[in-house]
Amino acid sequence: MDGRDLVRSVKAIGSGGAARGVRTVRAAWRRRRLDAAGLPQRDGERARVPGPVLGAEPGPGGGVVTFTRSQLRISVAVNGSVFWGWDGAGPVPSHALSGRCPEPDPRAVLEPDKDGGWRIVAERVTVAVSRHGAVEVRTPGGVTLRRDLPPRWWETPEGGAARWMQRSEVAADARFFGLGGRAAGVRLRDGTYRLWNTDPGRAAGPGDDPLHITMPVQLVVAEAATHLVFHDTSWDGTVTLREGEEGAGSGHDRVGTCRLRMDGGPLRCWVLVGTPARVLHAWAALTGAPALPPAWALGHHHVRSELDGEDEVRRMVGGYQERDLPLDAVHLDAGHHEAHQVFTVDRERFPKLPVLADELRRDGIRLVSVVEPAVGSVPGNAVRDSGTAEDVFVRDAGGRLVEAVGRPGESLFPDFTDARVRRWWGRLYQERIGQGFAGFWHDMDEPTSFTAFGENTLPRSARHFLEGAGGDHREAHNVYALCMARAGYEGLREISPRERPFVLSRSGWAGMQRYGGAWSGGVSAGWPGLRASLSLVLGLGLSGVPYSGPDVGGRDGRLSPELYLRWLQLGAYLPLFRTHAGPRAGRGEPWEFGDDVLAHARVALVERRRLLPYFMTLAHLARRTGAPYVRPLWWGATEDRALRDCEDAFLLGDCLLVAPVLDPGADRRAVRLPRGRWYDTATGRAYEGPAQVLIDAPLSRIPVLARAGAVVPVRGDDGSLELDVWAPARGRTGGGLVVQDAGDGWSEARIERYVTRWEGRRLVVERHGEDGPGEPPHRVRRRGPGAH
């Protein structure tokens, strides 16, 4: 327990009442005692730097450079990705990487460089190592993208994990993005960001950091090129960023800087260079393709906290059906559990849950169940008894079971860093599948508890298997939720091999996209929370997690009708579209805000359903390429400085630009457009970019623009597939992809490619395949000036 944890404990006393406060302090002191006895002391630390270079030994794709007090292993892979590790650290073992590492590039050779250094020249990148250990990444044209200065370690005389610091410099025009889910803004401005998955203990807004998903993954965008850097260590740490400044006239540039401080773990990193699309493609190849959600998961989800039994579920669903509002999934919060249970349903309030699930499924609605890692430690709890027999729970340094206060009360926590424990946990989902649930969302999986908001549920000295390497919670904390998601995903693949698993996680780490998506946790219900929810989705997408979304409406207060509607309109264009209602959220169903709001909400919900084929196409593209559904405006134009600073609009795939209303009282808003022609989808008016334009945004809609030439697959009124085709500019062509699949299985999807062009005054739409161009098999709506 450090100073930050103690402060949060004291805050919990004031915010959670006397009973929670007493439990908070008691649990905090219990963790502190365990850590005092189980963690090594850091007295007498000594600093170390690499020292002067002694020599080098070439190897595949690179080699090993030896310094007086360290060694640097460095290599370039065939896909252009660069790896280096100090003190002999290699790329494996790693929680983030998926499968085998990319093969080294046989053409990349470690060779002497000027001033006693060494370098590797590859097709896409040049890496130079100075004689004192600085590592510089350059474009093939010689422009420096990143310069890592010689690192520094702080070691104890007894050995063990060493703290370390890495300072880096980037181009003066570079902008920082990523680091997981950050609420302050998608662009990471000057400041310090903590790398420790955290539940803030209250609804979060732009001023809260860290939050549930932190990753040492930076995406750095500069005019010369984009690069992603990933420091592969899961220990606690901080990243301090300072943007550079370009000199005016004869003035000098000031480079941007990054200082990474870690409490332990290997000093190793990957650097990927190219366009944003190429970089995230390489990142997905390295850490795993994003899981493909079932088709229903791309629709409208609704969660109501503390639903009081089956009849209330039916009433809530009936409210949507009576008003002809689309609904695809209902999420049941922890209120449907038996006391002290993780998977067992409360039979008194939900006596015939399979019957309810079948009724809903016939109406196209799936049930999703919350799952938390805390297992009540009361004897007689079936999961606790089974886990105790299998020895799956986390123990302290003395070998005793670690208990913490969770939703079930005093609780035990499985060690998901052990494959044996993950298999045990994965089998538990069978009971929920038998009850009719189609998907799962993981909550409180940082892990946290009701007495440890913002700090550790488990003591840092708690022992973990860590895939056979062994270690403590300092290393396991940030990957705990990642491993829990893996347990759920792999268990569902075993239980229902013909269906795509649906797993949402509140917390996670690099590589979590392999097992599902993310939800934002409790976001503040005010206008700042609305803005933060967009930042979280954009930031996660740029960190490799394409499927995510907030709880529309937030979690901590009653919404005004205007705020509710603007949040709903934004959510309708995000990958995970989940509305929320409950005691803390207040009103959450559209009809509770009046007839006018209901009418406008229906438009947003119907439009989301109409766009489901487009979202399915984006899901397949994300799986194949790593590209997020939701992209910043600079995605295809990193040289545009103005777009890099724009955080209040986004691209949905290649075809649509969405400009949500994020401020109260606005009925018009400024929209910055990338290069090209864009059509207002509501009025058909054409705009030319790059430019900033003012567009009407009445309460009934938010501005959505279509790129000229775009082909957007949509759902017709009769449920069939249709194509919205937006006319390209005269003399130009356009096109798009349509991906169709069975919706909830593993059969190969059909990919169709369309091209649009003008023949005189006629707009032609052709499907291109192996046999050449042909007529589209779907109904085509030609839109835009001159299209007919």
Side-chain angles (χ1 to χ4, degrees):
M1 178 181 180
D2 60 17
R4 288 171 294 196
D5 295 341
L6 184 58
V7 169
R8 293 180 185 273
S9 297
V10 173
K11 285 183 178 180
I13 296 176
S15 63
R20 176 176 291 179
V22 170
R23 288 193 300 169
T24 299
V25 173
R26 182 184 300 151
W29 282 108
R30 183 167 58 187
R31 289 190 298 274
R32 185 176 182 181
R33 287 198 306 271
L34 290 172
D35 287 345
L39 290 178
Q41 300 299 313
R42 287 200 171 275
D43 299 332
E45 287 183 323
R46 296 172 297 189
R48 172 170 63 91
V49 295
V53 68
L54 297 178
E57 181 179 347
V64 176
V65 183
T66 302
F67 298 85
T68 306
R69 291 178 288 276
S70 187
Q71 280 189 333
L72 175 67
R73 176 182 297 178
I74 188 166
S75 64
V76 178
V78 290
N79 64 355
S81 59
V82 181
F83 170 83
W84 67 77
W86 287 95
D87 288 350
V92 293
S94 169
H95 294 281
L97 270 56
S98 173
R100 299 175 57 186
C101 293
E103 295 294 327
D105 186 350
R107 301 167 296 176
V109 178
L110 184 66
E111 59 187 21
D113 197 10
K114 60 184 180 180
D115 299 327
W118 295 81
R119 71 176 184 177
I120 304 172
V121 180
E123 180 182 1
R124 299 180 185 175
V125 69
T126 296
V127 186
V129 182
S130 79
R131 60 192 179 96
H132 288 291
V135 181
E136 194 168 294
V137 178
R138 307 173 187 146
T139 68
V143 178
T144 299
L145 297 177
R146 188 179 194 89
R147 184 170 185 263
D148 280 11
L149 302 176
R152 176 169 295 190
W153 295 265
W154 286 268
E155 302 168 323
T156 61
E158 294 79 16
R163 296 187 299 118
W164 54 265
M165 178 183 71
Q166 176 71 71
R167 295 173 297 162
S168 308
E169 298 174 346
V170 298
D173 73 303
R175 296 291 181 262
F176 297 101
F177 302 88
L179 294 182
R182 304 285 168 170
V186 61
R187 173 182 157 198
L188 303 175
R189 287 169 169 78
D190 296 359
T192 297
Y193 303 85
R194 191 180 179 193
L195 298 170
W196 188 253
N197 292 347
T198 302
D199 177 9
R202 62 186 182 279
D208 293 298
D209 191 88
L211 294 176
H212 310 281
I213 302 175
T214 69
M215 302 180 191
V217 179
Q218 298 175 42
L219 193 73
V220 185
V221 179
E223 186 169 336
T226 296
H227 74 271
L228 181 148
V229 59
F230 167 52
H231 289 88
D232 193 355
T233 176
S234 59
W235 286 64
D236 193 359
T238 60
V239 180
T240 301
L241 303 176
R242 184 186 181 194
E243 292 181 347
E245 184 176 345
E246 296 178 278
S250 60
H252 294 288
D253 288 351
R254 175 172 62 81
V255 297
T257 61
C258 168
R259 185 178 70 234
L260 177 65
R261 292 181 178 270
M262 301 301 297
D263 285 351
L267 203 175
R268 58 183 180 178
C269 77
W270 290 87
V271 177
L272 314 173
V273 177
T275 63
R278 172 174 284 181
V279 162
L280 284 179
H281 190 190
W283 177 244
L286 188 67
T287 60
L292 186 65
W296 60 264
L298 296 171
H300 172 217
H301 304 234
H302 186 68
V303 56
R304 170 92 73 82
S305 297
E306 301 180 16
L307 278 166
D308 190 21
E310 295 174 6
D311 290 341
E312 189 174 354
V313 174
R314 289 187 174 92
R315 283 195 298 271
M316 185 267 290
V317 172
Y320 277 94
Q321 294 173 333
E322 291 165 11
R323 296 166 178 86
D324 196 25
L325 299 175
L327 181 65
D328 299 276
V330 172
H331 293 225
L332 299 188
D333 210 334
H336 72 287
H337 295 168
E338 276 192 7
H340 310 297
Q341 301 289 330
V342 177
F343 286 94
T344 303
V345 171
D346 186 334
R347 305 280 181 171
E348 291 186 7
R349 292 187 298 138
F350 294 88
K352 297 180 180 180
L353 191 56
V355 175
L356 172 64
D358 285 342
E359 292 175 6
L360 297 180
R361 189 179 287 259
R362 285 195 295 270
D363 291 331
I365 301 170
R366 266 63 170 192
L367 274 182
V368 177
S369 173
V370 69
V371 175
E372 299 175 1
V375 177
S377 60
V378 176
N381 175 345
V383 177
R384 178 261 189 197
D385 294 344
S386 169
T388 302
E390 297 280 348
D391 189 22
V392 302
F393 297 117
V394 173
R395 296 179 178 271
D396 64 21
R400 297 174 294 273
L401 291 173
V402 174
E403 289 191 354
V405 179
R407 198 187 302 267
E410 288 292 328
S411 303
L412 305 173
F413 289 80
D415 182 6
F416 294 116
T417 69
D418 187 339
R420 178 182 60 85
V421 176
R422 290 196 296 270
R423 288 192 294 271
W424 168 80
W425 183 264
R427 291 193 294 269
L428 297 177
Y429 289 75
Q430 177 65 66
E431 178 179 338
R432 290 297 172 89
I433 294 295
Q435 292 286 333
F437 287 102
F440 301 88
W441 54 293
H442 292 173
D443 198 1
M444 312 291 283
D445 54 343
E446 290 75 21
T448 193
S449 76
F450 292 101
T451 65
F453 289 129
E455 50 178 295
N456 307 312
T457 291
L458 301 177
R460 294 186 178 226
S461 57
R463 304 300 298 173
H464 291 268
F465 188 71
L466 287 167
E467 313 302 343
D472 57 42
H473 197 65
R474 294 175 297 171
E475 183 176 0
H477 175 85
N478 279 340
V479 298
Y480 188 86
L482 168 74
C483 296
M484 181 180 175
R486 180 178 180 180
Y489 181 87
E490 292 177 347
L492 293 171
R493 286 296 307 268
E494 290 287 331
I495 296 167
S496 304
R498 297 183 180 180
E499 298 181 1
R500 301 174 195 160
F502 176 74
V503 177
L504 283 180
S505 297
R506 187 173 76 169
S507 184
W509 202 65
M512 64 180 294
Q513 74 277 355
R514 299 191 296 263
Y515 311 119
W519 64 290
S520 63
V523 178
S524 171
W527 289 93
L530 169 60
R531 189 175 291 270
S533 65
L534 175 57
S535 298
L536 289 164
V537 174
L538 280 164
L540 285 171
L542 295 177
S543 301
V545 185
Y547 182 76
S548 71
D551 272 348
V552 169
R555 296 285 296 245
D556 65 343
R558 292 185 175 273
L559 304 175
S560 69
E562 180 192 11
L563 175 55
Y564 170 80
L565 188 56
R566 292 308 195 189
W567 210 323
L568 185 77
Q569 290 165 341
L570 167 62
Y573 292 95
L574 298 180
L576 170 64
F577 180 28
R578 188 172 97 156
T579 51
H580 179 266
R584 284 184 295 168
R587 299 177 298 179
E589 281 87 25
W591 53 89
E592 295 180 344
F593 292 89
D595 291 341
D596 289 344
V597 170
L598 175 61
H600 300 327
R602 179 179 290 106
V603 172
L605 293 168
V606 169
E607 180 64 7
R608 173 57 176 240
R609 175 152 290 184
R610 196 180 77 92
L611 286 173
L612 284 180
Y614 185 50
F615 275 94
M616 180 55 72
T617 295
L618 295 179
H620 278 275
L621 291 178
R623 181 164 180 80
R624 286 166 168 78
T625 70
Y629 309 28
V630 170
R631 308 165 187 178
L633 295 185
W634 48 258
W635 179 258
T638 54
E639 74 284 353
D640 190 325
R641 311 293 177 87
L643 291 181
R644 281 194 236 156
D645 297 338
C646 183
E647 300 178 282
D648 62 356
F650 59 90
L651 299 174
L652 183 60
D654 287 330
C655 298
L656 300 179
L657 188 158
V658 181
V661 174
L662 304 177
D663 297 301
D667 58 5
R668 304 185 80 190
R669 62 150 294 173
V671 181
R672 187 165 292 280
L673 301 177
R675 185 177 301 277
R677 177 174 294 177
W678 297 86
Y679 297 107
D680 185 331
T681 58
T683 65
R685 180 177 175 182
Y687 298 91
E688 295 292 337
Q692 181 167 288
V693 298
L694 196 61
I695 300 180
D696 288 338
L699 199 58
S700 59
R701 68 174 191 270
I702 57 175
V704 178
L705 297 101
R707 190 190 300 271
V711 176
V712 182
V714 297
R715 186 177 186 269
D717 294 338
D718 60 356
S720 62
L721 180 65
E722 297 180 355
L723 302 178
D724 269 1
V725 179
W726 293 89
R730 293 286 181 175
R732 302 198 172 209
T733 60
L737 293 175
V738 178
V739 182
Q740 299 185 70
D741 72 359
D744 195 16
W746 301 101
S747 58
E748 191 67 24
R750 187 168 77 247
I751 302 176
E752 300 173 350
R753 185 169 66 90
Y754 290 90
V755 173
T756 60
R757 57 184 174 82
W758 288 101
E759 285 188 357
R761 296 177 56 84
R762 179 170 172 263
L763 177 60
V764 176
V765 183
E766 295 176 331
R767 182 176 63 163
H768 281 231
E770 296 179 357
D771 300 329
E775 287 294 317
H778 318 294
R779 181 173 179 265
V780 177
R781 294 203 306 169
R782 293 165 174 82
R783 309 181 73 173
H788 54 82

